[in-house]
Amino acid sequence: MRTIIFRFTAPYLTSLMVLFSIFVLLRGHNEPGGGFIGGLIAASAFAIYGIACGVAPVRRALHFHPMAIAAAGLMLAVLSGVLSLLIGVEFLTGLWAFPTFLGTEVALSTPLFFDIGVYLVVVGAISSIALALEETETD
Amino acid sequence: MTQGAVPLIDYSVILPVAICFIFGAGLLMMRKSIRWHPLIALPGLVLLFLADLTLLYRVATQGTVTMMMGGWLPPFGIAFTADLMGALFLAASGFAALCCGIYAVASISKVERRYGFFPLFFIMMGGVSGSFITGDVFNLYVWFEVFLIGSFGLLILGSRHEQLDGATKYCFLNLVGTTFFLIATGYLYGIFGTLNMADIAQKAAETDKTAMLFTLAALYFVSFAMKAAAFPLNFWLPASYHTPRFVVSALFAGLLTKVGIYAAIRINLMLFPPERAELSAVFAWVAALTMLVGGLGALAQTDLRRLLNYVVIAGIGTMFVALAMPVPDGDAVPSSLSVGLSGTIFYALHSIVVMTALYLAAGVAAHLTGTSSLREMGGLWRSNPLFAAVMLILLFAVSGLPPFSGFWPKVALVRASISGDLPWLAAMVLVSGFLLTIASARVFALGFWRPLPPIAAADRKVEPGGVVEEKFLAAGPDRALSAIPLFALTAFVIAAGVWPQWLFDLTDGAAAGIVDPSGYISSVFGDAP
């Protein structure tokens, strides 16, 4: 698979797909998208990068081990539920805040953080599996 | 259901699950610094147990408590409803997990910690805790999957050949079981249009589609019987539970089969009482044959852990006895169903504790003698009298002999069977207890009483007719770290045997809440539905 064309395009393709996955993640609250599908897109981006350039560069680029990323996502998702304990409402109740950054109103909410958690779990788990499979195949 | 501000103690409904996932994820994030794992995992397990006890206190003093996830009103949101039965199972599971955690600190090697023993432990506990509190049938399925994932990981930790062999059977059978569960849940949603247990209990009582509910009840029973290892779906358990580390076997034997029992009581008894009553002849035969297979299987084994596998199965049969009780006819108070169910819940709690303790004790015995085969063990009475006394207590308890915790629930079950016109089932409980007594006596006589048999190394290799056991691999458990959990578990066994009334008060309340689920329903929907 390591043809020059593929190796040349893979980094661009990967960065585009990761960007798109974040877009899908963020629009997911009211429109089609969300953490799960966004995470799948990002994981396939890393898989493509792994197929083109080998597994070691992907692991270097991710910096953290994929399982640690998945664990961080799980932690984020649970903590976004635990926040409701401090406010005194039922577990996982959506809490919203609308701060203004540079003149733009930004909707921040616990469902958003929960979704980011799901995204990280999917990215971590799927790329952990994909990288492990690619590792045994290429060597 | 709580609306408006939630009292702080009501958060104990969600805490067991939240604690498990926070600690599981945290430990997974620090996968490089395995030296810290035990230091973080143990406080986590203590917290989990405290949260379980808080919930039990809350439920015992103020009744069933419900929290709707995300504040979505029932029956649309996912309900977490803790009634007395769920809280009791939860507290027992937290206790067993804490004891296993202490034991695991010393006995799990660095390599296995690196492969994620403690994170998997917490994920499994999260699944088990979730199963005991959830009030939503599909959510129950999800928790089943969660603890199965954790248990798959724990089962193959070490990657020895027979572990993978056992794990294949375990995974396959459990996946088939959960598939049945999922199919049944699909039908359930098709019939009622709701998955909330309280809502189903109400609607099932009013409906006249009894033929459909009959199919549902049978499908659910097959899947839970498979999970609980009841005859004739019990063969996966003896094929897999003796392969992982002792502490993992202890966890599995203590907790996982009881989740099957719990789900069978919750779904078959609470949601579909008339269908359960129709099927009671089947339940009676399943219970009787499971007890018999467990008892006879235990007699036939020479490996300590394989023997205990069959003891687990015999216990499962005993717990199914309550499901075979006839419908309460109203004039007998308390009815044979409530007495039997109370006995079953008591027996399940006892079984969680005593099976965990027995597998841990088997681990200690195997470490001390270097083998887990009863043919080669011996002399433990002489060398470790205190440990031998603990083992004797545990063996008495598991055989159902007084004055330990296994005796009273069997009394209740025998009483219920006789008053419920099932004298042969009462006899089966006693026969199974008798078989287990013989098996226990064999364990104690061969492993503890007799002097160490002088078997040459050459003899071990060409053992006639027997499987050559692989050299015992577990790292030696630290003396104090293995003694603390054993003593704690044994203390419960003695306490529940000598003063059974406090526990019977709780299990009577739990059984009453299942036989008449109006408290459960009003907890979810408020007092005026």
Side-chain angles (χ1 to χ4, degrees), chain B residues 81 88 124 241 428 444:
Chain B
T81 308
L88 279 171
M124 197 191 91
Y241 270 26
M428 285 305 295
F444 200 76

Side-chain angles (χ1 to χ4, degrees), chain B residues 69-91:
Chain B
M69 294 299 106
W72 296 95
L73 292 181
F76 303 107
I78 291 173
F80 265 36
T81 308
D83 65 348
L84 203 46
M85 179 172 85
L88 279 171
F89 272 84
L90 194 65

Side-chain angles (χ1 to χ4, degrees), chain B residues 125-361:
Chain B
M125 280 316 296
V128 169
S129 309
S131 312
F132 289 148
I133 346 179
T134 186
D136 184 281
V137 181
F138 187 76
N139 201 233
L140 180 63
Y141 165 77
V142 173
W143 292 123
F144 263 62
E145 290 286 3
V146 170
F147 79 68
L148 278 180
I149 290 169
S151 68
F152 291 162
L154 288 174
L155 195 59
I156 57 165
L157 219 58
S159 310
R160 283 180 302 138
H161 178 261
E162 67 268 27
Q163 275 183 308
L164 295 178
D165 179 53
T168 315
K169 292 161 190 159
Y170 175 85
C171 294
F172 182 74
L173 254 293
N174 276 294
L175 285 179
V176 172
T178 42
T179 308
F180 269 105
F181 188 0
L182 186 60
I183 292 170
T185 307
Y187 285 144
L188 180 79
Y189 190 69
I191 294 172
F192 291 114
T194 176
L195 292 166
N196 185 299
M197 288 184 194
D199 204 20
I200 294 167
Q202 271 179 327
K203 288 188 173 161
E206 291 158 8
T207 186
D208 54 350
K209 299 173 183 164
T210 44
M212 285 183 186
L213 297 193
F214 203 73
T215 317
L216 266 185
L219 269 176
Y220 274 122
F221 177 64
V222 169
S223 85
F224 299 143
M226 209 178 263
K227 185 66 230 150
F231 183 83
L233 301 166
N234 63 325
F235 47 86
W236 59 269
L237 193 148
S240 60
Y241 270 26
H242 64 283
T243 56
R245 295 286 174 253
F246 277 91
V247 58
V248 176
S249 299
L251 258 185
F252 283 17
L255 301 181
L256 298 192
T257 44
K258 273 61 172 193
V259 182
I261 295 284
Y262 168 84
I265 294 175
R266 176 72 75 203
I267 305 266
N268 284 98
L269 240 171
M270 192 178 96
L271 299 189
F272 308 119
E275 288 74 22
R276 198 275 315 166
E278 283 294 320
L279 283 171
S280 60
V282 180
F283 291 133
W285 277 103
V286 166
L289 290 172
T290 310
M291 282 189 276
L292 204 60
V293 164
L296 292 175
L299 283 182
Q301 298 301 318
T302 54
D303 183 88
L304 185 49
R305 254 201 296 187
R306 286 174 193 262
L307 190 149
L308 290 178
N309 290 343
Y310 282 98
V311 175
V312 173
I313 294 177
I316 293 297
T318 316
M319 282 174 248
F320 269 116
V321 166
L323 287 170
M325 291 300 128
V327 201
D329 48 5
D331 52 321
V333 179
S335 67
S336 55
L337 180 62
S338 355
V339 174
L341 191 54
S342 171
T344 285
I345 296 172
F346 194 128
Y347 196 89
L349 302 176
H350 142 81
S351 176
I352 289 177
V353 172
V354 84
M355 288 320 304
T356 307
L358 270 173
Y359 276 90
L360 293 182

Side-chain angles (χ1 to χ4, degrees), chain A residues 93-136:
Chain A
T93 304
L95 304 167
W96 292 80
F98 299 94
T100 316
F101 289 117
L102 306 169
T104 313
E105 195 184 66
V106 181
L108 289 180
S109 65
T110 52
L112 173 69
F113 287 106
F114 186 86
D115 231 11
I116 295 174
V118 174
Y119 176 88
L120 292 178
V121 168
V122 175
V123 169
I126 304 282
S127 34
S128 160
I129 296 169
L131 292 182
L133 288 176
E134 284 170 12
E135 229 159 24
T136 52

